[in-house]
Amino acid sequence: MIRTKCFRLFKLLFAVVYIFSVAGILGGTAARVSAEGEPSFCTDPRRIVCLETYPAEILCDLGEIDRIVAVSKFQKHNSYYNFFKNKPVVGGGIGGNINLEMILGVNPDLVFCSYGQKDILKARGLNVYGTRTYDIEGIMELITDIGKMAEKEKEAKNIVDEMKARIQRVEVKVKEVKKKPLVYFEQSSLGRTRSKGSLTHELITRAGGINIAKDEPVPFPLLSQEFIIKKNPDIIIVEEWGTRPSDVKERDGWKNIKAVKSGKIFQSKSYYTGYTQRCLDGLEGYAKFFYPELFNTGVIQ
């Protein structure tokens, strides 16, 4: 009888251990289950792989760079490059291939990846956080999530609170503006732009501009040259590493566009539209492009 009780107790303990191990709790990496029933991220992961640069940047800002054991390729112009240049590179950056063997070799508790990469990584038994296209609210949620994972909730909240304050300072100033400028944003080459559903569109709108691509049916449309000329934008913004402002002026048929005639062709730094709190540098930068008379100081207050 004693042996039977002991055996039952052993079975009970084994069941408890099994349940907790499946949940990931024994390893200190309990997965939060999303509404779809998929693990969305781990609690207190100690070994993190970042196949996207912006989760790595957020972790760095939270003082948790030591958790990162491997990264995707950082470009040298990225201001975080020196923080990560000695980390193993297991991905080629945006749209690049990933090295599954290297990722498995660093034994990560969690992998940040694009949404399209998550299934292949999950199939190899990895905990993943699939990132996506974010608006400002989504970026705040991402920062909050990473803060929870890294046990830096207070620091994450401070970042989010400061983001909200910066947004409000801009929106208060542009709220009463009667005439808003028409804005054409060029991503990398002629006609490549961004519409509703993109962070860039939201930044332009919150900064008090009207995006000429606002009615396009997809977030990343391709506009014809004829459409752009007909819209006659007041402001042209070209993204860094794309076309130079001086080249825009030389395009056939563009000399009578308002932005070209007034010289209001500006360059947007590539990180302005990245999915970190630094996107608010973009918001403030665009506001200064649109309304220099309202934002004529170095810092928006």
Side-chain angles (χ1 to χ4, degrees), residues 48-51 67-72 87-90 102-103 106:
I48 299 174
V49 169
C50 293
L51 295 176
R67 292 178 185 259
I68 301 173
V69 294
V71 295
S72 64
K87 300 279 186 181
V89 175
V90 293
M102 285 187 69
I103 293 170
V106 297

Side-chain angles (χ1 to χ4, degrees), residues 184 186 190-192 212 222-233 248 250-254 257:
Y184 164 56
E186 186 168 293
L190 176 58
R192 292 192 178 277
I212 67 166
L222 178 63
L223 305 179
S224 69
Q225 180 165 233
E226 292 74 21
F227 177 89
I228 298 166
I229 293 171
K230 185 177 179 180
K231 283 293 184 180
N232 196 17
V248 172
E250 304 302 320
R251 288 175 176 167
D252 290 340
W254 285 54
I257 291 177

Side-chain angles (χ1 to χ4, degrees), residues 40-287:
S40 56
F41 66 77
C42 301
T43 301
D44 195 24
R46 293 293 169 177
R47 299 180 61 79
I48 299 174
V49 169
C50 293
L51 295 176
E52 301 283 349
T53 59
Y54 42 95
E57 292 178 21
I58 292 169
L59 281 163
C60 188
D61 290 339
L62 291 172
E64 293 297 322
I65 191 172
D66 289 342
R67 292 178 185 259
I68 301 173
V69 294
V71 295
S72 64
K73 185 177 181 181
F74 270 77
Q75 299 296 326
K76 288 187 177 181
H77 65 259
N78 187 306
S79 58
Y80 287 75
Y81 172 79
N82 286 332
F83 292 108
F84 296 104
K85 65 181 180 181
N86 295 321
K87 300 279 186 181
V89 175
V90 293
I94 298 173
N97 295 325
I98 60 174
N99 190 321
L100 273 173
E101 288 187 8
M102 285 187 69
I103 293 170
L104 293 168
V106 297
N107 192 29
D109 298 317
L110 176 66
V111 179
F112 282 100
C113 63
S114 68
Y115 199 79
Q117 294 168 330
K118 69 184 185 70
D119 287 340
I120 190 172
L121 294 168
K122 285 173 64 177
R124 303 301 289 268
L126 296 168
N127 287 313
V128 301
Y129 187 118
T131 60
R132 54 186 174 80
T133 300
Y134 292 100
D135 55 16
I136 293 176
E137 187 66 30
I139 294 170
M140 292 179 183
E141 291 174 2
L142 177 65
I143 293 167
T144 300
D145 277 356
I146 293 175
K148 289 177 181 177
M149 282 185 274
E151 298 187 330
K152 286 294 184 78
E153 293 181 68
K154 181 179 178 181
E155 291 83 352
K157 184 178 184 301
N158 289 341
I159 291 173
V160 169
D161 287 346
E162 177 58 22
M163 289 179 70
K164 291 177 179 178
R166 290 175 70 182
I167 293 167
Q168 186 178 32
R169 286 196 289 267
V170 171
E171 291 187 332
V172 164
K173 285 195 173 187
V174 303
K175 185 177 180 181
E176 302 303 324
V177 173
K178 295 290 189 290
K179 183 174 173 54
K180 296 181 178 181
L182 280 173
V183 181
Y184 164 56
F185 178 92
E186 186 168 293
Q187 178 179 335
S188 56
S189 58
L190 176 58
R192 292 192 178 277
T193 189
R194 294 167 188 163
S195 184
K196 288 179 182 176
S198 71
L199 174 61
T200 305
H201 173 79
E202 183 180 10
L203 294 174
I204 290 171
T205 303
R206 283 181 179 265
I210 299 172
N211 185 1
I212 67 166
K214 65 182 177 65
D215 296 322
E216 295 298 307
V218 293
F220 303 96
L222 178 63
L223 305 179
S224 69
Q225 180 165 233
E226 292 74 21
F227 177 89
I228 298 166
I229 293 171
K230 185 177 179 180
K231 283 293 184 180
N232 196 17
D234 301 293
I235 304 280
I236 294 174
I237 301 174
V238 292
E239 193 166 36
E240 191 177 26
W241 317 116
T243 304
R244 294 178 299 180
S246 57
D247 292 336
V248 172
K249 297 177 182 179
E250 304 302 320
R251 288 175 176 167
D252 290 340
W254 285 54
K255 65 180 181 179
N256 290 321
I257 291 177
K258 290 178 183 177
V260 176
K261 291 173 71 174
S262 65
K264 292 183 178 180
I265 305 173
F266 303 99
Q267 192 173 67
S268 172
K269 294 185 180 298
S270 56
Y271 78 83
Y272 277 7
T273 54
Y275 302 131
T276 74
Q277 61 270 27
R278 295 200 299 158
C279 73
L280 296 189
D281 290 355
L283 176 67
E284 294 168 350
Y286 294 172

